[in-house]
Amino acid sequence: MDRVNATTPSAPADAPARAAFAALRTPEGEQLLAELRDHDPADELAAATRLRRTHPAELVSAALGQARLRQRAVAKFGAEDAYRMYFTPNGVEQATRTSVAAHRAARFAGLGVRSVADLCCGIGGDALALARAGISVLAVDRDPLTAEVARANAEALGLEDLIEVRCADVTEIDTSPYDAVFVDPARRGGRGRIFDPEAYSPPLSWAAAAALKAPRAALKIAPGVPHEAIGPEAEAEWISDGGDVKEAVLWYGEGFAPGAFRATLLPSGATLTAPAPLPAPPVGPVGRYLYEPDGAVIRAHLVADIVERCGGRLVDETIAYVTSDTRHSSPYVSGYEITDRLPFNMKKLKALLREREVGVLTVKKRGSAVEPEELRRRMKLSGPHSATVFLTRVAGAPTMLIGHPLE
């Protein structure tokens, strides 16, 4: 989601921003952006002073701002696309990462979807991925500047023949001509991130109703959404990229599994599914091996599946660390061999690390209030070896587990 607001029209004060954006798309603006591609933000004042000798001050300010946004967007869109695209501050913050958008587009394309109504399209990140999958897109956003940016991005990446951008209220769009609907409600307001799904713009209930009217649909939501807010008609998927949970998607219609929970790990594409919430896994003593499930697996409440696969147990009923006595290999977990178990005690940990000549310590925690950086500072590490310490609870007791990653 990249939009300023999906359902609130722009105020007249938006006119200067739209004029500045239009100036960036002139030959002079494009030349400035090309010149600023690799500039160092620390030298921005000097760059502004130099450029204002030959360019209007307003254009220089707009170009410097857009250059900053493009540099930030590289992490989500890659350099090749980011330096051709246009962004708004909210657009960079809320845009879907390209890898995630491509995964979602591939699921649609795999089911034969040829046209999608992208409601609350923002700057067009998802529309671009859908178009690259060969799907024609109606991209809708209520904010005029955001719609202009989405249109410019379709043109910049040569996808304008597949993407129609419309500035309109998404609640007034007839989606019946389209094979599928994608809805990405705004989850940020004037005070920051919105956690109540009914405070989304438009509300989750409206978005779900719009999804249910379509032959197929996807509804993007925050990964922390309460499971009880997910209706039985949806297949719920949590997606991580590089180990970080990025978003959740509710899928509706033919080809999806109502009531199922799914965790998908990118870039591998490994997917773990369960037809319904699994029963609580067993709890038991710490074994030789410890497994840390991917965040998408945890969010999807599929840790019990991991426990069953490795023939293990949880170290504590409230902690998502899995342990077993035999080694288990899986794309859904990071595995560690545990060498020591100690009650929580800084002095004992420091003595053990000194004895083992540990100079590099990785600190992981679940169920502990200790900050990793503070712990490392207090250990005064020195030596050629490395180790990992887990600060957690075992059967309710604060515990330190020391080990190293499995190859």
Side-chain angles (χ1 to χ4, degrees):
M1 181 201 65
D2 334 75
R3 90 280 316 133
V4 174
N5 187 291
T7 57
T8 302
S10 297
D14 189 48
R18 295 175 66 187
F21 176 67
L24 288 177
R25 303 200 65 206
T26 64
E28 184 179 10
E30 292 177 354
Q31 176 189 343
L32 264 178
L33 287 174
E35 185 175 341
L36 289 169
R37 172 180 171 130
D38 299 316
H39 95 103
D40 185 348
D43 298 329
E44 190 164 295
L45 181 59
T49 301
R50 172 176 54 83
L51 293 172
R52 283 170 180 163
R53 297 186 187 124
T54 53
H55 301 282
E58 295 82 0
L59 178 59
V60 171
S61 295
L64 285 167
Q66 190 62 220
R68 288 195 301 271
L69 295 176
R70 284 180 167 183
Q71 289 178 350
R72 287 172 55 194
V74 168
K76 288 187 174 182
F77 289 88
E80 184 176 353
D81 283 352
Y83 285 112
R84 291 189 290 164
M85 293 173 64
Y86 298 90
F87 301 95
T88 64
N90 279 356
V92 172
E93 181 71 25
Q94 301 177 48
T96 301
R97 183 177 293 261
T98 293
S99 57
V100 178
H103 162 73
R104 186 162 42 237
R107 287 202 76 184
F108 270 138
L111 291 171
V113 170
R114 306 307 302 163
S115 62
V116 171
D118 179 0
L119 307 181
C120 310
C121 70
I123 64 166
D126 283 282
L128 297 171
L130 290 164
R132 281 176 165 165
I135 298 171
S136 63
V137 186
L138 170 66
V140 184
D141 202 285
R142 179 83 180 257
D143 181 74
L145 174 60
T146 305
E148 289 176 19
V149 172
R151 189 175 294 109
N153 286 335
E155 294 172 1
L157 299 187
L159 297 167
E160 64 271 27
D161 289 344
L162 284 170
I163 301 174
E164 175 195 349
V165 178
R166 189 179 303 174
C167 183
D169 186 332
V170 298
T171 64
E172 298 175 358
I173 297 297
D174 177 14
T175 62
S176 60
Y178 299 88
D179 296 341
V181 168
F182 173 61
V183 191
D184 184 4
R187 297 184 301 279
R188 284 183 179 271
R191 297 183 178 181
R193 194 177 300 276
I194 296 171
F195 296 97
D196 177 8
E198 283 308 296
Y200 291 174
S201 180
L204 180 61
S205 57
W206 180 90
L212 287 168
K213 293 177 183 177
R216 294 185 179 94
L219 169 55
K220 178 179 170 181
I221 56 175
V225 66
H227 279 222
E228 55 269 22
I230 300 171
E233 308 91 349
E235 173 191 304
E237 179 181 29
W238 282 261
I239 304 170
S240 68
D241 189 6
D244 295 328
V245 182
K246 295 303 179 183
E247 65 178 63
V249 187
L250 303 183
W251 298 94
Y252 301 84
E254 185 179 352
F256 305 112
F261 293 83
R262 175 189 296 261
T264 297
L265 284 54
L266 301 177
S268 71
T271 295
L272 187 66
T273 61
L278 300 170
V283 179
V286 177
R288 181 177 178 182
Y289 300 100
L290 189 76
Y291 303 102
E292 181 182 29
D294 183 271
V297 173
I298 296 172
R299 293 282 193 177
H301 293 185
L302 296 177
V303 174
D305 189 290
I306 300 297
V307 172
E308 182 177 342
R309 286 168 181 255
C310 71
R313 54 209 174 263
L314 296 180
V315 301
D316 184 281
E317 64 180 4
T318 64
I319 303 294
Y321 282 140
V322 180
T323 187
S324 72
D325 304 308
T326 57
R327 182 166 176 165
H328 173 69
S329 179
S330 166
Y332 307 109
V333 300
S334 299
Y336 300 83
E337 184 172 8
I338 299 302
T339 57
D340 301 271
R341 171 183 170 180
L342 302 171
F344 184 83
N345 186 299
M346 289 286 198
K347 289 184 178 180
K348 289 184 178 181
L349 178 62
K350 185 175 181 180
L352 186 145
L353 296 176
R354 184 184 298 116
E355 177 186 334
R356 303 280 171 81
E357 296 183 300
V358 172
V360 178
L361 184 67
T362 300
V363 182
K364 292 179 172 289
K365 67 170 193 170
R366 282 191 180 143
S368 173
V370 177
E371 291 300 325
E373 286 303 322
E374 173 64 14
L375 183 141
R376 272 190 288 265
R377 185 186 66 79
R378 293 178 62 178
M379 291 300 101
K380 298 181 179 178
L381 301 167
S382 177
H385 303 303
S386 62
T388 300
V389 59
F390 295 86
L391 307 177
T392 188
R393 292 193 303 272
V394 174
T399 304
M400 300 182 294
L401 304 174
I402 299 90
H404 55 81
L406 296 174
E407 294 294 334

